């Protein structure tokens, strides 16, 4: 195969087997592209069934409220409405998507019971002959509320006088008995005392919606064998199968998930939001059932990337060595856990960035607020932390009048360095990447920086 | 209920239009042509683009009852057997598709552009696909593929003229 982008295989040559890298740099056609350009790729919604029923949801009108009453009588009168589904119809109503890897407690109801924690939270599902009847039915559900004080800010949610919104009793996820995922290495206070300068800044980001062109959805088809066949655009077929079976209280073998064709995901289709209710509706009506988000639902209630707030305090010598880094990081999980406890752990695992810093202290909080639950999105936990860390690096370099690349090279981690998590760094390659990037953009580096390699140990004093 | 007769990709077709049905739903659910996609059902994303009497339209906003007697072209009608249209081939060769959900609509907008303007500028391509949202690929490879398709079509027309 001809190489379109020749790659430089001289780097780390001795660490690889001969014959590696035969594909990188060559053109390989996507296996699905012919289907895409001819319109033959089969997305979940491209299947039609003559007796297809549709699910639509009545959603919370408030950010935080007690539910006093739910009246479905008008919904049931709409011609074409087949069933309404409330939490009583959900065999195992409470879940957390990562429970099979030990995340607990189950903190989210499939359908709300006595309270709602975010605007748009599902309360009643309506199954109907047609999409229009389902929409009409969902609109006619009447819910009585008593509004409760809501909290929308991560730091306000942690204040002592904040309303506690979670039944577990804290507005934060508890990590092995602690209020945050913690990182402790060396002694930051001593590091700050030894430093010439202290720099402390705050970084924050807003939630980001994945906005896939194909909205989240599935079609569930009851099989003559009694199994349920789920055509889904999930990015996570096995999460979907496991969580759906647990919610249905049925053996995993009762379900079959057909997926893998995703019209844009970016992490937004891993939450298992539509399949459980579609399965319940299909079981109750014994008909194929479609549950697909409208564009409005995709934007309003599908989980976005978490908003984050990050404070970074660094102690630095005048010649650019970072001696201490303290990070206070807050992930806005929104109302429910979804993937955020894991995302926050990832954020913590990523600190203090790809730099060897002798003293590190971090508290990474997974905080609950009355906002739309956030969840996975491309590198979640890491992406925003990187934005903050690298902005911090640039600002410090500017403040000390140092070249930003030299400042990074000075602190770059190297193979053999002990990371703040007590792992020995290997395969770092950061130094070589910076050197090469500098050369490509014509950014000159002094000889002493060109002589650095990531495989040369840092030595005691560096 | 009304019986709508029309031509789709050159063949005569008919369907019963239920009240409120759109051209998109009729194509997908009644005529079995699922190439046009529903991304928003509100005219905002372009995934449902087909050609109505040669003009690109967002079929999710076209009431089905209004297309009686019309000529519709969809992505399914572009290839001649195994031979792709120039736009399809250029999208394939130029890696102008990723998840593929926007691709049928994007390609139909491009076909309409090249039918009326065989030698568009980059700006004219941008303009022609401005109603088609792609969330994955990035527009650069898409625009380049449309320009590449235009060049392929022109050279094919040139060859034809020489014969
Ligand atoms: S589905 Fe028609 S424009 Fe989006
Ligand atoms: S390829 Fe996914 S939206 Fe364009």
């Amino acid at each position: 195969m001809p190489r379109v982008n020749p790659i430089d295989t001289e780097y780390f040559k001795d660490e690889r087997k001969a014959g590696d890298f035969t594909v990188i740099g060559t053109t390989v056609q996507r296996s699905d592209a012919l289907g895409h350009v001819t319109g033959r790729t089969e997305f979940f919604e491209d299947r039609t069934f003559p007796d297809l029923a549709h699910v639509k949801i009545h959603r919370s009108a408030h950010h935080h409220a007690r539910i006093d009453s739910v009246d479905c009588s008008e919904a049931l009168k709409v011609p074409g409405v087949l069933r309404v589904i409330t939490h009583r119809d959900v065999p195992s109503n409470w879940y957390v998507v990562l429970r099979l890897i030990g995340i607990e407690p189950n903190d989210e109801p499939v359908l709300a019971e006595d309270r709602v924690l975010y605007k748009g939270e599902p309360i009643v599902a309506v199954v109907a002959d047609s999409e229009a009847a389902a929409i009409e039915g969902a609109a006619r559900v009447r819910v009585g509320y008593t509004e409760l004080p809501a909290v929308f800010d991560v730091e306000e949610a942690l204040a002592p006088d904040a309303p506690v919104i979670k039944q577990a009793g804290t507005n934060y996820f508890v990590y092995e008995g602690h209020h945050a995922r913690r990182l402790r290495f060396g002694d930051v206070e001593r590091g700050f005392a030894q430093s010439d300068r202290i720099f402390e800044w705050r970084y924050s980001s807003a939630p980001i919606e994945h906005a896939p062109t194909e909205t989240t959805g599935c079609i569930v088809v009851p099989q003559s064998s009694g199994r349920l066949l789920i055509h889904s655009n999930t990015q996570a077929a096995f999460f979907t199968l496991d969580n759906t079976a647990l919610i249905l209280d049925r053996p995993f073998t009762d379900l079959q998930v057909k997926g893998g064709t995703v019209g844009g995901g970016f992490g937004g289709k891993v939450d298992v939001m539509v399949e459980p209710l579609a399965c319940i509706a299909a079981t109750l009506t014994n008909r194929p059932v479609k549950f697909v988000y409208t564009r409005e639902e995709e934007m309003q209630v599908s989980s976005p990337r978490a908003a984050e707030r990050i404070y970074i305090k660094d102690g630095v010598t005048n010649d650019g060595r970072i001696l201490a880094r303290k990070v206070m990081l807050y992930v806005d999980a929104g109302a429910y856990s979804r993937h955020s406890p894991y995302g926050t752990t990832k954020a913590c695992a990523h600190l203090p960035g790809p730099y060897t810093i002798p003293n590190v202290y971090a508290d990474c909080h997974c905080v609950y607020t009355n906002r739309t639950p956030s969840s996975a999105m491309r590198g979640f936990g890491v992406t925003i932390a990187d934005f903050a860390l690298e902005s911090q690096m640039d600002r410090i370099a500017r403040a000390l009048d140092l070249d930003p690349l030299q400042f990074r090279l000075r602190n770059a981690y190297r193979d053999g360095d002990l990371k703040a998590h007590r792992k020995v760094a290997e395969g770092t390659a950061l130094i070589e990447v910076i050197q090469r990037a500098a050369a490509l953009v014509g950014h000159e580096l002094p000889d002493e920086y060109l002589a650095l390699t990531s495989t040369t140990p840092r030595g005691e004093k560096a | 209920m009304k019986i709508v007769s029309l031509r789709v990709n050159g063949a005569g077709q008919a369907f019963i239009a239920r009240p409120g049905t759109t051209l998109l739903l009729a194509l997908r659910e009644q005529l079995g042509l699922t190439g046009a996609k529903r991304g928003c059902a509100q005219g905002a994303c372009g995934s449902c683009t087909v050609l109505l009497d040669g003009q690109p339209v967002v079929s999710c906003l076209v009431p089905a009852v209004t297309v009686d007697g019309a000529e519709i072209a969809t992505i399914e009608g572009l290839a001649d057997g195994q031979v792709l249209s120039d736009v399809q081939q250029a999208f394939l060769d130029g890696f102008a598709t990723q998840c593929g959900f926007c691709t049928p609509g994007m390609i139909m907008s491009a076909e309409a552009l090249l039918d009326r303007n065989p030698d568009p500028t980059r700006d004219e391509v941008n303009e022609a696909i401005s109603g088609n949202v792609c969330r994955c690929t990035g527009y650069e490879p898409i625009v380049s593929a449309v320009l590449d398709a235009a060049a392929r079509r022109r050279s094919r027309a040139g060859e034809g003229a020489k014969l």
Side-chain angles (χ1 to χ4, degrees), chain A residues 220-410:
Chain A
V220 175
V221 189
Q223 306 292 290
S224 52
S225 61
R227 297 174 85 199
L228 295 170
L229 173 56
I230 305 171
H231 297 283
S232 170
N233 62 11
T234 176
Q235 287 176 260
F238 291 96
F239 270 170
T240 296
L241 191 143
D242 298 349
N243 279 287
T244 304
L246 290 170
I247 288 166
L248 299 179
D249 203 10
R250 289 175 69 163
F252 293 173
T253 47
D254 272 13
L255 306 181
Q256 185 187 1
V257 178
K258 273 200 182 172
T261 303
V262 184
F266 321 112
K269 289 175 179 163
V270 296
D271 272 0
V272 195
M273 299 314 296
V274 290
E275 293 84 358
L277 284 173
C279 284
I280 291 167
T283 305
L284 290 174
T285 60
N286 198 28
R287 283 171 64 163
V289 168
K290 175 153 81 179
F291 179 10
V292 58
Y293 279 177
T294 60
R295 175 55 54 189
E296 190 184 3
E297 286 176 302
E298 191 70 40
M299 302 306 285
Q300 174 68 37
V301 301
S302 82
S303 52
R305 180 194 289 285
E308 291 183 41
R309 186 167 307 153
I310 305 172
Y311 295 87
I312 308 177
K313 179 178 177 182
D314 286 345
V316 190
T317 62
N318 281 329
D319 64 346
R321 182 75 181 106
I322 307 172
L323 297 183
R325 172 166 281 177
K326 183 174 181 182
V327 180
M328 286 290 149
L329 185 146
Y330 304 87
V331 167
D332 187 347
Y336 296 109
S337 291
R338 307 272 173 100
H339 287 78
S340 288
Y342 166 71
T344 309
T345 294
K346 273 171 71 189
C348 196
H350 192 59
L351 299 176
Y355 306 107
T356 294
I357 299 175
N359 304 289
V360 178
Y361 181 109
D363 277 357
C364 298
H365 308 78
C366 174
V367 187
Y368 300 109
T369 64
N370 293 111
R371 300 173 74 178
T372 306
S374 62
S375 197
M377 186 181 192
R378 310 187 78 170
F380 65 122
V382 171
T383 317
I384 305 297
D386 260 338
F387 150 73
L389 291 167
E390 297 310 318
S391 301
Q392 178 87 357
M393 295 300 281
D394 282 339
R395 294 172 85 176
I396 294 173
R398 223 174 292 139
L400 293 176
D401 203 19
L402 298 173
D403 175 274
L405 294 190
Q406 291 174 33
F407 177 49
R408 286 178 170 83
L409 286 168
R410 179 101 167 76

Side-chain angles (χ1 to χ4, degrees), chain B residues 4-158:
Chain B
V4 173
S5 310
L6 71 177
R7 294 181 71 77
V8 181
N9 299 328
Q13 294 274 16
F15 62 88
I16 297 171
R18 284 184 297 260
T21 299
T22 61
L23 173 58
L24 175 65
L25 286 178
L27 288 170
R28 289 178 53 83
E29 295 180 356
Q30 294 180 275
L31 300 179
L33 295 170
T34 55
K37 305 294 177 209
R38 177 203 60 86
C40 67
Q42 53 188 225
C45 74
S47 321
C48 62
T49 304
V50 300
L51 307 190
L52 169 59
D53 295 329
Q55 296 299 317
V57 292
V58 280
S59 60
C60 69
L61 293 187
V62 176
V65 288
T66 64
V67 298
D68 196 38
E71 183 83 45
I72 305 291
T74 73
I75 187 90
E76 288 91 344
L78 292 182
D80 182 3
Q82 305 276 24
V83 183
L84 301 181
S85 79
D86 289 316
V87 178
Q88 289 175 310
Q89 191 66 49
F91 268 62
L92 190 70
D93 295 344
F95 288 81
T97 174
Q98 223 177 86
C99 79
F101 199 79
C102 71
T103 308
M106 199 68 88
I107 287 179
M108 295 316 289
S109 288
E111 294 279 356
L113 168 70
L114 300 188
D115 283 347
R116 65 174 188 270
N117 179 356
D119 192 6
T121 63
R122 198 161 257 275
D123 279 350
E124 286 167 336
V125 175
N126 288 341
E127 173 66 28
I129 63 164
S130 62
N132 294 83
V133 174
C134 177
R135 185 65 165 146
C136 314
T137 311
Y139 296 99
E140 280 302 310
I142 294 173
V143 172
S144 298
V146 178
L147 291 169
D148 176 28
R152 293 177 195 227
R153 278 169 72 135
R154 288 196 306 277
S155 80
R156 187 187 304 281

Side-chain angles (χ1 to χ4, degrees), chain A residues 44-191:
Chain A
F44 91 90
E45 207 178 5
D46 294 339
R47 297 174 179 85
T48 37
F49 299 88
D51 53 347
L52 186 68
H54 300 257
V55 168
K56 292 287 170 186
I57 305 294
H58 184 90
R59 297 180 177 280
S60 161
H62 299 288
H63 299 290
H64 191 200
R66 207 175 58 223
I67 295 178
D68 298 323
S69 61
V70 175
D71 178 1
C72 299
S73 54
E74 291 301 313
L76 285 164
K77 286 184 200 153
V78 174
V81 167
L82 303 167
R83 284 286 306 222
V84 295
I85 299 170
T86 70
H87 67 88
R88 285 187 202 87
D89 301 300
V90 184
S92 177
N93 194 41
W94 289 84
Y95 78 110
V96 64
V97 74
L98 291 175
R99 55 185 153 179
L100 286 173
I101 60 165
I103 301 283
E104 56 184 10
N106 290 329
D107 74 334
E108 181 165 5
V110 175
L111 291 172
E113 294 186 2
D114 62 341
R115 70 193 66 209
V116 284
L117 297 195
Y118 69 98
K119 192 171 176 173
E121 181 162 356
I123 301 172
V124 175
V126 176
V127 198
D129 274 336
S130 68
E131 198 180 355
I135 291 170
E136 184 64 27
R140 297 219 185 166
V141 172
R142 289 284 163 261
V143 178
Y145 301 95
T146 303
E147 268 194 83
L148 298 170
V151 57
F152 301 111
D153 181 272
V154 284
E155 288 178 272
E156 283 170 23
L158 297 182
D161 57 344
V164 176
I165 63 169
K166 299 291 282 185
Q167 266 144 314
T170 61
N171 287 343
Y172 53 83
F173 182 80
V174 177
Y175 289 96
E176 289 111 30
H178 299 285
H179 66 290
R181 181 58 83 192
R182 302 165 313 142
L183 182 57
R184 305 285 186 264
F185 185 63
D187 179 346
V188 273
E189 294 309 327
R190 208 177 60 211

